[in-house]
């Protein structure tokens, strides 16, 4: 047999479908051989006692993003991708975030340049649409969707981001015409604003009031509303960072009715709670994200949704802000819950947390773990089977896990640039020890092995839910013909 280049031998291979003993050969960046016994390649990794998984894919993370409040995230494309790789992730899809008044071209050019020179693993982009002008909808988006940015995030809240229902419908209609997927941040803006105003008027400024204002009902209402918008046009929708019991039920009910609603949840909703935001002083600001972590009942509902298929995706929503005036606390000690930058870091610990608490505690199977953290992301964004699985012809993106390794999560051991972790002190079992991207060993022996800028841009394909979609009903066909 010709030299296989890199071989990974004697390991237990896990995909979203199966678990089996198999050696893997990688050449020219792609998997070229999978067999019970392969000869050693010019570089050989002995994976005895190890789990050989597809590299993780994190399709919800914010990297080098200027927030709508003007705060720059703590991680650039170098620190974020290094951190992702150390946690077993080999592909990310962060956001190119349009600010109002900016064109899509300005937005994409900006993020493209930042990522190109710094990323160490492969990346695609979603677009955040905050200004769906006629030119954006009619000319720019169709053009950029064709270049491989095939997913659009819209918000129902945040002063400088939110779209009204009619605008969400316009984006859905555009996505339907052009073959893109719409992701929604679903929270009722007016409820949040009303509660927050009254709290601040009464002098309630502490971080815990962030959770009070972002009521679970605000999420339920907006989740239900965007589902009805999706039904009106029969256009699929992905609801991101779901945090509440009621939202899980609403999504499940819609799915049961045959509505193409997809859903994502994140570590902060399984492993953090409102009690964390209630820590003394400003400490709780470290846990402020939107939606906020909730309660134990919600955590259980989310675990149920991960196990029964309500959720297709488990992403980090890594939103890194330092715990100082450059990030979480723009007004120092005087920062109120309304001024705090929203978001928590989690790109490196996403997989170990879910492996330890989900797989090892038998809440989900290891194959469901792979589906939720890699394969479904690749399918959702049109990157499968190049990414997200281990198969002949797929990119050689592999994470070799030591399932026995115990790690106490500490900020100093992580590779992001945040300086704290909301999971500090938590002990997890299982960690990826060797991480490979397109056949390049990115992480081995606890150190980074690749150069800055060695990751490549991935044009995403037609998103799975669109590519495999049903024909719309006759009633919707007629309705769509009206709006042309
Ligand atoms: N909420 C978001 O919508 N995005 C980033 C982080 C957050 O808390
Ligand atoms: Zn969001
Ligand atoms: Zn987000």
């Amino acid at each position: 047999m010709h030299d296989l280049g890199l071989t990974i031998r004697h390991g237990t291979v896990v995909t979203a479908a199966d678990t089996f003993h198999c050696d893997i050969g990688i050449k020219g960046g792609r998997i070229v051989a999978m067999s019970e016994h392969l000869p050693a390649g010019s570089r050989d990794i002995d994976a005895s006692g190890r789990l050989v998984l597809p590299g993780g894919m994190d399709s919800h993370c914010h990297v080098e993003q200027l927030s709508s409040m003007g705060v720059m995230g703590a991680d650039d494309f170098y620190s974020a991708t290094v951190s992702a790789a150390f946690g077993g992730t080999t592909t990310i899809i962060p956001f190119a975030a349009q600010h109002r008044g900016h064109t899509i071209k300005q937005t994409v050019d900006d993020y493209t340049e930042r990522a190109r020179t710094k990323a160490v693993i492969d990346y695609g982009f979603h677009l955040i649409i905050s200004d769906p002008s006629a030119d954006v909808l009619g000319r720019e988006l169709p053009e950029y969707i064709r270049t491989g940015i095939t997913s659009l995030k819209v918000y129902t809240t945040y002063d400088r981001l939110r779209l009204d229902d009619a605008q969400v419908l316009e984006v859905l209609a555009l996505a339907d015409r052009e073959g893109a997927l719409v992701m929604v941040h679903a929270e009722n803006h007016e409820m949040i604003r009303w509660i927050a105003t009254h709290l601040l008027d009464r002098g309630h400024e502490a971080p815990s009031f962030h959770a009070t204002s972002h009521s679970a009902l605000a999420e339920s209402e907006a989740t239900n509303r965007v589902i009805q918008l999706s039904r009106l046009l029969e256009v699929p929708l992905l609801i991101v960072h779901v945090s509440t019991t009621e939202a899980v039920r609403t999504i499940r009910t819609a799915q049961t009715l045959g509505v193409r609603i997809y859903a994502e949840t994140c570590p902060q909703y399984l492993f953090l709670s409102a009690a964390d935001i209630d820590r003394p002083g400003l400490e709780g600001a470290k846990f402020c994200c939107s939606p906020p972590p909730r309660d134990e009942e919600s955590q259980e509902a989310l675990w149920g949704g991960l196990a029964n298929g309500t959720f297709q995706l488990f992403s980090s929503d890594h939103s890194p802000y330092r715990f100082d005036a450059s990030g979480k606390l723009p007004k120092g000690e005087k920062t109120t819950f309304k001024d705090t930058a929203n978001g928590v870091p989690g790109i490196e610990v996403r997989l170990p947390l879910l492996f330890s608490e989900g797989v090892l505690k038998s809440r989900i199977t290891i194959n469901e773990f792979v589906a939720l953290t890699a394969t479904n992301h690749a399918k959702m964004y049109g990157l499968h089977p190049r990414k997200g699985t281990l198969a002949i012809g797929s990119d050689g993106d592999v994470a070799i896990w030591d399932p026995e390794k115990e790690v106490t999560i500490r900020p100093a051991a992580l590779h992001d640039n945040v300086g704290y972790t909301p999971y500090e002190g938590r002990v997890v079992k299982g960690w990826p020890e060797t991480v490979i991207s397109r056949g390049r060993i990115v992480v081995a022996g606890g150190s980074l092995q690749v150069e800055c800028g060695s990751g490549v841009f991935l044009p995403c394909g037609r998103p799975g839910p669109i590519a495999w979609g049903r024909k719309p009903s006759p009633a919707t066909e007629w309705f769509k013909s009206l709006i042309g």
Side-chain angles (χ1 to χ4, degrees):
M1 193 178 282
H2 299 299
D3 177 25
L4 284 170
L6 175 66
T7 45
I8 303 164
R9 300 191 305 152
H10 316 303
T12 300
V13 170
V14 187
T15 68
D18 297 301
T19 305
F20 48 97
H21 290 282
C22 177
D23 295 346
I24 294 178
I26 301 173
K27 201 163 186 183
R30 305 207 314 181
I31 297 177
V32 293
M34 292 181 77
S35 168
E36 208 172 354
H37 299 291
L38 289 175
S42 46
R43 181 147 190 196
D44 184 50
I45 297 174
D46 179 6
S48 306
R50 302 291 186 259
L51 296 173
V52 180
L53 269 55
M57 194 160 161
D58 193 344
S59 61
H60 188 162
C61 48
H62 301 265
V63 179
E64 222 171 317
Q65 185 179 322
L66 187 68
S67 81
S68 61
M69 285 161 75
V71 182
M72 181 47 100
D75 280 314
D76 65 7
F77 276 87
Y78 181 71
S79 59
T81 54
V82 170
S83 186
F86 271 90
T89 292
T90 52
T91 304
I92 59 167
I93 312 187
F95 297 89
Q98 181 200 26
H99 290 273
R100 288 197 181 144
H102 288 198
T103 64
I104 300 299
K105 179 173 170 21
Q106 280 172 303
T107 309
V108 173
D109 285 354
D110 181 21
Y111 283 86
T112 300
E113 191 50 27
R114 290 162 188 269
R116 190 181 62 78
T117 51
K118 296 180 207 141
V120 303
I121 57 171
D122 297 348
Y123 57 92
F125 287 119
H126 314 283
L127 267 164
I128 286 175
I129 306 301
S130 63
D131 196 352
S133 65
D135 191 46
V136 164
L137 291 171
R139 184 184 63 83
E140 284 206 290
L141 282 178
E143 191 180 313
Y144 280 94
I145 291 167
R146 268 173 239 133
T147 68
I149 305 184
T150 59
S151 36
L152 313 171
K153 184 176 178 191
V154 298
Y155 288 75
T156 59
T157 186
Y158 290 124
D159 287 326
R160 298 192 183 92
L161 290 173
R162 75 193 179 108
L163 305 190
D164 63 28
D165 292 354
Q167 289 174 312
V168 174
L169 284 168
E170 290 297 348
V171 175
L172 280 169
L174 168 278
D176 188 40
R177 284 196 299 275
E178 302 295 335
L181 178 67
V182 179
M183 318 157 70
V184 189
H185 177 125
E187 288 186 287
N188 179 305
H189 183 73
E190 294 302 332
M191 283 188 193
I192 296 167
R193 195 171 67 88
W194 186 83
I195 301 169
T197 304
H198 284 283
L199 287 169
L200 290 172
D201 281 353
R202 287 161 181 73
H204 299 306
E205 299 182 341
S208 65
F209 294 105
H210 170 76
T212 316
S213 63
H214 284 253
S215 156
L217 286 171
E219 185 175 336
S220 309
E221 188 283 324
T223 300
N224 180 56
R225 178 159 38 100
V226 298
I227 289 173
Q228 307 318 320
L229 299 180
S230 154
R231 291 180 72 190
L232 185 67
L233 298 182
E234 287 192 41
V235 176
L237 196 68
L238 167 63
I239 301 177
V240 294
H241 46 52
V242 173
S243 75
T244 71
T245 309
E246 203 167 310
V248 176
R249 289 194 189 132
T250 304
I251 290 164
R252 185 74 175 165
T253 304
Q255 291 169 342
T256 308
L257 291 172
V259 184
R260 284 175 296 158
I261 300 297
Y262 299 86
E264 171 208 79
T265 193
C266 316
Q268 46 275 36
Y269 306 115
L270 295 181
F271 305 113
L272 304 176
S273 75
D276 289 305
I277 309 185
D278 204 15
R279 291 191 194 187
L282 288 176
E283 189 68 13
K286 290 180 177 171
F287 305 87
C288 282
C289 55
S290 301
R294 309 284 185 184
D295 57 13
E296 261 181 45
E297 186 209 275
S298 313
Q299 293 175 349
E300 282 315 307
L302 297 170
W303 279 115
L306 288 168
N308 71 15
T310 305
F311 292 108
Q312 293 71 43
L313 304 175
F314 184 74
S315 313
S316 69
D317 196 5
H318 181 73
S319 226
Y321 295 106
R322 293 188 67 85
F323 192 59
D324 60 25
S326 73
K328 281 282 181 192
L329 309 174
K331 297 184 181 162
E333 291 298 307
K334 293 200 160 52
T335 303
T336 73
F337 73 89
K338 218 39 193 163
D339 310 313
T340 300
N342 278 203
V344 293
I347 204 164
E348 190 163 341
V349 294
R350 170 184 73 120
L351 297 176
L353 282 169
L354 190 68
F355 183 86
S356 189
E357 292 296 315
V359 178
L360 296 186
K361 297 200 172 157
S362 301
R363 287 165 158 142
I364 55 170
T365 67
I366 183 114
N367 309 98
E368 287 165 348
F369 173 82
V370 171
L372 285 162
T373 59
T375 317
N376 291 351
H377 298 249
K379 289 181 175 175
M380 192 71 72
Y381 298 107
L383 288 169
H384 187 267
R386 176 175 175 189
K387 298 290 185 188
T389 193
L390 299 174
I392 304 281
S394 295
D395 279 359
D397 291 0
V398 186
I400 304 174
W401 284 65
D402 177 352
E404 301 295 331
K405 184 168 174 173
E406 285 201 351
V407 175
T408 303
I409 298 176
R410 302 260 178 243
L414 299 176
H415 299 80
D416 59 33
N417 190 31
V418 182
Y420 81 91
T421 164
Y423 308 100
E424 174 148 21
R426 199 175 278 263
V427 180
V428 291
K429 193 168 172 190
W431 200 279
E433 60 180 9
T434 306
V435 180
I436 299 162
S437 154
R438 281 180 288 107
R440 304 168 306 133
I441 297 182
V442 179
V443 174
S447 65
L448 186 74
Q449 314 265 333
V450 293
E451 296 297 313
C452 203
S454 57
V456 298
F457 170 68
L458 299 166
C460 291
R462 226 173 149 73
I466 317 293
W468 309 321
R470 285 188 309 272
K471 235 174 115 40
S473 64
T476 308
E477 288 280 31
W478 175 80
F479 178 56
K480 281 183 181 169
S481 73
L482 283 182
I483 57 173

